[in-house]
Amino acid sequence: MERVGFEAGAMIQHLFFGLQSKGFEVVCMEARQVSAALYAMRNKTDKSGAKGIAQILRTGWFSPVHMKSREAHGLRALLSTRIALLKKTMDLANEVRELLKIFGVRLPYTGQAPISAARGSLARRWRMRRGLGR
């Protein structure tokens, strides 16, 4: 076997680096080109799809896809997770801020977490109502 070829996809990174570590020459092909080449096939089965991909690999009618390193994929995962967590944190902070408006508590938009700001604000209101002053 000279080369191993497959379409680009979401789960391909693991397969690509696994086969490459075993010494195979691995080619990842542009999925749209492979799909367009296989579109004319009458019977679309796994076996005929594999034969079609092998034919595309033999003839060279494909564009290879650059496979990013595992480190690059890991860094991208960390960054996207951080962005998602920040977004959820802001959504929760805004939700708390809006809920407290119902009770007449207006929190400032500071870098401080809304829960700790609300705790201080509510404690001050409670003391004032009880006549305890500050």
Side-chain angles (χ1 to χ4, degrees), residues 5 11 24 29 39 46 48 67 70 81 83 93 102 109 131:
M11 301 290 291
F24 290 102
M29 296 178 273
Y39 181 73
D46 288 344
S48 64
M67 188 62 65
R70 288 187 189 261
T81 303
I83 289 168
I102 296 169
Y109 286 97

Side-chain angles (χ1 to χ4, degrees), residues 51-98:
K51 284 182 181 179
I53 289 174
Q55 180 64 25
I56 293 168
L57 193 59
R58 274 193 297 274
T59 58
W61 292 348
F62 65 90
S63 296
V65 174
H66 172 72
M67 188 62 65
K68 294 179 185 174
S69 67
R70 288 187 189 261
E71 292 80 22
H73 280 279
L75 185 60
R76 173 57 63 191
L78 286 174
L79 287 173
S80 62
T81 303
R82 180 181 182 273
I83 289 168
L85 286 173
L86 286 173
K87 185 175 184 285
K88 294 207 182 291
T89 302
M90 289 301 299
D91 289 344
L92 284 172
N94 290 334
E95 183 72 24
V96 168
R97 187 172 279 112
E98 289 299 315

